[in-house]
Amino acid sequence: MAQAKTYAYSGRDGAGKVVKGKVDAGSEAAVAAKLRTMGISPIGINEAGTGTGLQMEISFGSFGKGVGLKDLAVMARQMATMISAGLSLIRTLGILADQTENKELARILGVIRGDVESGASLSDSMAKHPTVFPPIMIHLVRSGETGGFLDGALTGAAENLEADVKLRDTIKSAMTYPVIVLIIAILAVVGMLLFIVPIFEKMFADMGGELPAATQILVTLSRALPWIALVVVPLGIAFSIWWQRNKHTDAVRAFVDPLKLKLPVFGLLFTKVAVARFSRNFATMLGAGVPILQALSIVGETSGSYVVESALKKVQESVRQGKSVAGPLAMEPVFPSMVVQMIAVGEDSGAMETMLNKVGEFYEAEVESTTKALTSLIEPLMIAFIGVIIGGMIVALYLPVFSIFDQIK
């Protein structure tokens, strides 16, 4: 029997009112069945974010929040449900604009509704907001409009976005604890240098004598800290602004992304994330009937990795010349041999979408297991790290006291 998990749901009751809540069940299908017995027609079902103790993810609310992947996933799921129920697209957009909790998304849906009323297609209207709707969602909607299966395309987009959200949440859960511990360590060191070390320095000056090297280093750092802060803080702010403006440029990505995959501990995790996202997105695009050359271009843009995007450009050229997809991938270190072999089998058997889905499921499970292993490894290491830093400073402060005791003896 599957282990019960907590799911957050939204649905409509008998009076047509939208209701939300949480329920424990073994799967999303079980949640849907339970909701129907309660007289609720499900609109969206997602696994609720859970965590305890040091692994709990910290949320700072919706301050400054834009349109996130979760908002888009819920919107796509609701839109697919209403369209499959026979509602017109304009009415669906109007209902979503009135009911969505995200004010920015509500505003954009209102704009899109106006465009659709003027005769524009849904995909073209979405394409006017590239910072909100990812390319894969726009192209899936366009394929659904062309093929007459818009509800199915929206469902595929929702599933894709939900899987991406789960992938990102998995990585966040691995990164939350070390980041928090590092911030605590920095604050503790700064606090000791600003408030504790000057007290000991004055005491040591009254005693006279020469300070040990470790203590002298702390005293020097304590004196220089205000000047260091005057340099580091503005540089940090300037770098943060520069990074926000340039992190998506090809020059920066070409330098940073390969380094991320070579990191000692997290490099393997980033590689698995890139492969999982590539496989899932490629399978989704092929399943929606998008031509393979166009699908490769879109998957490259949405992979989140410059290494994968560069590799897929070579694959595009190979396919354009009538060659295979697997051939060029075999030359790229980011793609494990198992992935290349699965894709080659999919090409030979005509079951590329099925094989890519299996690869995506495998690597998403690998990401989850790797994250759990990293979390278990990082927690004691970070505790030891902060203990060594703070403990070393305390020992350095008390070394002169030990020297005085030795002289007294």
Side-chain angles (χ1 to χ4, degrees), residues 105-272:
L105 181 57
R107 183 189 68 80
I108 292 171
L109 287 173
V111 174
I112 291 175
R113 183 176 184 268
D115 291 342
V116 172
E117 285 180 330
S118 302
S121 66
L122 178 61
S123 57
D124 289 342
S125 302
M126 286 180 167
K128 294 179 181 179
H129 308 277
T131 58
V132 175
F133 301 103
I136 190 169
M137 185 176 186
I138 295 170
H139 284 84
L140 284 172
V141 170
R142 182 169 290 129
S143 298
E145 289 175 320
T146 304
F149 54 93
L150 182 56
D151 55 341
L154 287 166
T155 300
E159 291 173 351
N160 186 275
L161 292 169
E162 287 163 0
D164 208 16
V165 168
K166 184 178 179 182
L167 207 58
R168 294 189 181 195
D169 287 346
T170 301
I171 298 175
K172 283 182 183 178
S173 68
M175 297 297 295
T176 299
Y177 178 70
V179 168
I180 289 176
V181 172
L182 184 61
I183 291 173
I184 291 173
I186 292 173
L187 292 177
V189 169
V190 170
M192 290 186 69
L193 289 175
L194 286 177
F195 304 109
I196 307 299
V197 174
I199 296 174
F200 277 80
E201 180 187 3
K202 185 176 182 305
M203 182 178 68
F204 297 150
D206 295 338
M207 292 180 180
E210 186 177 348
L211 295 176
T215 310
Q216 186 60 53
I217 291 172
L218 283 182
V219 171
T220 303
L221 284 174
S222 177
R223 293 173 179 172
L225 188 60
W227 301 103
I228 294 174
L230 288 176
V231 175
V232 172
V233 172
L235 284 177
I237 294 173
F239 175 77
S240 177
I241 295 172
W242 177 88
W243 178 256
Q244 289 298 322
R245 293 179 178 176
N246 296 278
K247 64 180 179 180
H248 296 302
T249 61
D250 288 345
V252 173
R253 294 177 63 217
F255 178 77
V256 174
D257 286 0
L259 293 179
K260 287 167 62 177
L261 301 182
K262 295 177 182 178
L263 290 174
V265 177
F266 291 95
L268 180 62
L269 176 61
F270 290 141
T271 300
K272 290 179 178 180

